[in-house]
Amino acid sequence: MLTSRKTFLPFALPSISEDAIEEVAQVLRSGWVTSGPKVKQFEMEFGDFVGSKESIAVNSATAGLHLALEAIGLTANDAAITSAITFTATSEVICYFGAEPILTDVDPIHNLMTPDTLLETIKTKCDWNGKELKSKKTGKQIKAILPVHLAGYTCDMEGLIKIAKEYHLYVIEDAAHAFPAVHKDKMIGTWGDFTVFSFYATKGITTGEGGMVTTSNKEAAERIRKMRLHGINRDAFNRPGWYYEVVDAGYKYNMTDIAAALGVIQLKESHGFWERRTEIAKHYNEEFSSLKGIKLPKEDANGIHSWHLYRIEVDPKIAKVGRDSLVEELKERNIGTSLHFIPIFEHPYYKKTFQYNRKEYPNACQMYDRSVSLPLFAGMSKADEKDVIDAVKDILG
Ligand SMILES: *Cc1c(COP(=O)(O)O)cnc(C)c1O
């Protein structure tokens, strides 16, 4: 057995430069720490980067997903379709409205919602009367699909949008893993009706906590801008004097200038972060290609992978050890791992509330048995990278 690392290597860490610290410090010294000019700047620069018409900064992707569903007018009589393999945020926001989350299985290679898994879900779990798509189980009307670009591999947007149009559904992309990512000739952020990014600590870029909604729907963007700050009809920074109007019972989902200052610098540095992650993923793929019973992630066949995560699958019948032993042995060597994700239908709340039948999700179940995410972040040193490669090869070789 190899000797273990002296320090623990987590599966992800943020990269915070001195420039970023200085930019945040300037905001702290300025006297304006909440939503203000930095948020506006971050929104503009982010919008320019992905090519979106409207960009609305919020304090998390979860808030952004919530506000997108609010903007399309989701109610308790409605349902929305999302992927069985995602973080709870994507399905919990549907539950906020008392609506029903309907889950698609995923494809066995990239673990995404695909046109095939979506059509299978529509065929088996929905009724179409030529005007409305309804849940067979509850009779609720399905209003949206929420595909997830898992790990940064992009979903087939043309295929999904075509089906969504046919069944009169909005497309709200969970792009928490997909910054920066390109699908066909356009960046993620310009495909669906809404795209929601996360700037959580471990994501492609971070603002500590934060998120961004992009859309080309001006009216919806205005609604989201209002609802992110108490339903007030104007943002605090362009409010004249003391007068303001509350036009709905909104939320407290605004991003702070402290967070946006970090975001502005992270955005500038994002290409370098992406290059380093891509390089590590390429090295992993080269080094692990000879290991038996291991399925490696692929470059995005339809675009440019963000390489937010590096997920492998261990086939317990062929590989030298199973997934759980691999995780255990990596931990003994001071190397962290994670799992993306425990299927939604396996969680007690969702099981109890919606009685999902796990037999309807064979690919999600197989992924749950076999998947593990190895350390991948821009700040990993060559030595960190080598430690992971040596350890994985030693355990599985
Ligand atoms: C991180 C994550 C979210 C939530 O992002 P927050 O900014 O923490 O709200 C949503 N979906 C997926 C797939 C995620 O990984």
Side-chain angles (χ1 to χ4, degrees):
M1 180 173 148
L2 286 169
T3 51
S4 78
R5 289 168 51 91
K6 295 228 160 41
T7 57
F8 182 71
L9 177 69
F11 97 95
L13 270 183
S15 298
I16 310 290
S17 66
E18 288 306 315
D19 283 355
I21 292 167
E22 181 49 36
E23 189 84 3
V24 172
Q26 276 179 27
V27 167
L28 293 174
R29 290 187 196 105
S30 76
W32 192 289
V33 290
T34 187
S35 304
K38 276 292 156 200
V39 170
K40 276 222 157 134
Q41 183 189 345
F42 184 41
E43 288 177 335
M44 276 194 31
E45 291 178 3
F46 190 89
D48 285 347
F49 193 102
V50 300
S52 59
K53 288 213 175 74
E54 304 278 346
S55 307
I56 308 111
V58 285
N59 61 6
S60 72
T62 309
L65 290 164
H66 183 191
L67 292 175
L69 288 174
E70 201 281 334
I72 67 163
L74 201 77
T75 73
N77 298 322
D78 298 329
I81 300 175
T82 190
S83 170
I85 299 299
T86 185
F87 185 55
T88 183
T90 332
S91 41
E92 83 189 30
V93 292
I94 300 166
C95 303
Y96 289 180
F97 297 87
E100 180 198 2
I102 297 172
L103 305 177
T104 68
D105 197 9
V106 290
D107 78 90
I109 311 292
H110 309 295
N111 305 140
L112 304 171
M113 177 197 289
T114 66
D116 282 347
T117 71
L118 177 58
L119 283 174
E120 177 68 15
T121 302
I122 290 174
K123 202 172 81 188
T124 57
K125 296 186 168 61
C126 311
D127 288 316
W128 171 245
N129 65 12
K131 280 214 297 261
E132 291 170 343
L133 190 66
K134 293 197 167 162
S135 162
K136 271 199 209 303
K137 197 156 75 184
T138 61
K140 293 186 179 195
Q141 191 189 341
I142 300 155
K143 289 277 180 66
I145 60 168
L146 292 88
V148 182
H149 305 292
L150 189 71
Y153 194 106
T154 60
C155 297
D156 176 352
M157 291 316 298
E158 280 167 334
L160 293 176
I161 288 170
K162 185 158 169 274
I163 297 166
K165 284 221 165 81
E166 198 177 326
Y167 292 100
H168 310 164
L169 309 172
Y170 288 98
V171 177
I172 301 172
E173 295 162 68
D174 181 333
H177 297 184
F179 183 82
V182 178
H183 182 73
K184 300 279 170 71
D185 53 341
K186 293 197 303 180
M187 281 203 83
I188 294 299
T190 58
W191 280 93
D193 296 296
F194 303 88
T195 310
V196 182
F197 296 90
S198 172
F199 309 130
Y200 179 70
T202 57
K203 302 290 160 74
I205 60 172
T206 186
T207 59
E209 301 277 2
M212 190 77 75
V213 184
T214 63
T215 181
S216 54
N217 183 331
K218 203 159 181 266
E219 212 177 307
E222 268 167 35
R223 177 74 186 169
I224 292 171
R225 280 198 186 95
K226 272 190 204 106
M227 294 305 279
R228 78 174 160 183
L229 192 65
H230 302 298
I232 291 172
N233 68 351
R234 282 180 170 203
D235 286 341
F237 35 81
N238 49 27
R239 195 191 299 157
W242 50 263
Y243 186 76
Y244 61 91
E245 284 173 342
V246 174
V247 294
D248 211 326
Y251 302 94
K252 184 69 170 92
Y253 283 168
N254 56 305
M255 179 181 275
T256 67
D257 265 22
I258 301 171
L262 182 50
V264 163
I265 300 300
Q266 289 261 310
L267 185 64
K268 286 194 175 67
E269 296 170 340
S270 63
H271 186 74
F273 294 165
W274 169 82
E275 278 185 328
R276 177 66 183 132
R277 292 194 308 269
T278 303
E279 178 183 59
I280 298 166
K282 192 165 154 264
H283 290 166
Y284 282 172
N285 270 351
E286 285 162 7
E287 295 284 343
F288 301 154
S289 63
S290 59
L291 296 175
K292 286 206 178 61
I294 306 303
K295 197 183 81 191
L296 301 176
K298 294 182 170 58
E299 288 288 347
D300 193 330
N302 303 308
I304 301 174
H305 205 308
S306 76
W307 289 112
H308 168 56
L309 299 173
Y310 185 88
R311 301 160 74 244
I312 64 172
E313 277 191 24
V314 185
D315 183 338
K317 294 189 289 290
I318 304 172
K320 197 166 143 210
V321 301
R323 188 269 316 270
D324 293 344
S325 304
L326 173 63
V327 168
E328 217 29 62
E329 291 192 37
L330 285 170
K331 199 169 119 203
E332 278 168 24
R333 287 162 160 88
N334 249 342
I335 293 170
T337 56
S338 191
L339 197 157
H340 300 87
F341 287 97
I342 301 169
I344 294 298
F345 54 79
E346 294 285 2
H347 290 291
Y349 166 77
Y350 292 101
K351 241 188 231 173
K352 177 183 80 200
T353 314
F354 301 103
Q355 284 96 38
Y356 297 116
N357 178 2
R358 72 194 305 278
K359 291 200 180 67
E360 293 170 4
Y361 307 94
N363 294 334
C365 288
Q366 173 161 315
M367 172 256 122
Y368 183 35
D369 288 338
R370 297 183 176 187
S371 182
V372 56
S373 302
L374 299 179
L376 179 65
F377 54 95
M380 275 177 76
S381 67
K382 291 264 181 231
D384 294 335
E385 188 187 313
K386 188 169 183 304
D387 285 342
V388 177
I389 289 169
D390 289 348
V392 169
K393 284 168 90 171
D394 185 49
I395 297 163
L396 290 168

